[in-house]
């Protein structure tokens, strides 16, 4: 399933979507050897490079889960009523 280039770079952990848009505007990103426009979609099998370095999506990325504990009696809110 094709996804936008900025989302692809974000999902593989290279940079945020906004930084990806900036890199695309600066012409530092290529898809199959061609400089894309913002909004260009990447499909499986496309070769994506940033500053000449090949960027690949790992087939099995390890997921990280964070759990937070808020002790009883602690109030954390931005509501000032």
């Amino acid at each position: 399933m094709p996804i936008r280039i900025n989302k692809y770079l974000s999902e593989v952990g290279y940079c945020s979507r906004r930084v990806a848009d900036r890199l695309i505007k600066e012409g530092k990103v290529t898809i199959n050897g061609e400089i894309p426009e913002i909004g260009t979609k990447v499909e499986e099998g496309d070769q994506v490079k940033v500053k000449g370095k090949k960027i690949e999506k790992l087939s099995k990325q390890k997921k990280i889960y964070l759990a937070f504990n808020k002790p009883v009696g602690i109030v954390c809110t931005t509501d000032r009523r």
Side-chain angles (χ1 to χ4, degrees):
M1 184 163 128
I3 60 171
R4 291 173 55 127
I5 184 67
N6 62 349
K7 183 174 182 184
Y8 175 82
L9 291 173
S10 174
E11 284 183 356
V12 297
Y14 187 81
C15 60
S16 69
R17 288 185 185 192
R18 289 185 186 189
V19 172
D21 286 339
R22 194 173 327 124
L23 291 170
I24 294 165
K25 285 180 185 176
E26 293 171 359
K28 296 180 180 178
V29 178
T30 61
I31 302 173
N32 299 326
E34 297 181 13
I35 298 175
E37 297 178 3
I38 292 178
T40 302
K41 296 200 176 194
V42 178
E43 295 187 21
E44 191 174 328
D46 285 345
Q47 186 179 40
V48 178
K49 290 185 179 182
V50 179
K51 300 178 187 176
K53 182 181 173 189
K54 189 174 180 182
I55 307 298
E56 292 181 301
K57 195 177 221 181
L58 299 175
S59 59
K60 291 190 176 186
Q61 290 182 329
K62 183 178 179 183
K63 293 185 180 184
I64 298 173
Y65 296 95
L66 302 176
F68 295 96
N69 180 26
K70 182 181 72 75
V72 176
I74 302 295
V75 178
C76 10
T77 181
T78 57
D79 190 13
R80 296 181 182 225
R81 291 185 200 188

